[in-house]
Amino acid sequence: MSLMTFAAIAQATAPAAGAAPQGAFGFSPLIMMAVLFGIFYFMMIRPQMKRQKEHRALLSALAKGDEVVMSGGMAGRIEDVGESFVRVEIAPGVVVQVQKGSITQVLPKGSLKKS
């Protein structure tokens, strides 16, 4: 066979340039995107939503007398709970008013030493 015959056979059997792949590999980019989204959801989005839900529950359960830690690291005892603010006694006779969202942790009763 001549070289021209090989070129003609190669052109006839090769797919056209820019044609979509055939068979099982046609959907692989979509499958990969779905798998990546699933990984992101279970590794990043879902745990963050769970933490936010737990923090909202912690804030709604605040009551007078609870011992708390605030985001700045200060610890104190709650004196009064309002709609969006909390009054916290951080030392004997020293009461500060902070936003509820700044409370990061509720300590077990008796954690703070009474002076």
Side-chain angles (χ1 to χ4, degrees):
M1 290 194 189
S2 71
L3 186 57
M4 295 297 251
T5 308
F6 284 125
I9 292 172
Q11 281 184 345
T13 58
Q22 299 293 324
F25 297 107
F27 292 108
S28 67
L30 293 175
I31 293 171
M32 286 303 294
M33 285 176 38
V35 167
L36 285 175
F37 178 76
I39 289 171
F40 277 125
Y41 178 77
F42 284 107
M43 297 291 284
M44 297 173 75
I45 298 170
R46 188 168 178 250
Q48 179 64 26
M49 289 173 39
K50 186 176 179 181
R51 277 191 295 272
Q52 286 176 347
K53 184 178 178 181
E54 289 171 355
H55 191 251
R56 279 193 304 268
L58 176 130
L59 295 180
S60 66
L62 290 177
K64 182 178 179 177
D66 285 347
E67 296 173 357
V68 296
V69 177
M70 293 167 277
S71 61
M74 286 192 299
R77 189 170 290 104
I78 294 179
E79 292 294 316
D80 184 36
V81 178
E83 190 67 30
S84 59
F85 290 95
V86 177
R87 294 173 51 87
V88 180
E89 181 181 28
I90 57 174
V94 180
V95 178
V96 294
Q97 186 170 347
V98 297
Q99 287 184 329
K100 270 187 171 181
S102 69
I103 295 176
T104 58
Q105 184 179 12
V106 176
L107 299 172
K109 296 280 187 195
S111 295
L112 297 177
K113 191 174 172 182
K114 292 186 179 183
S115 299

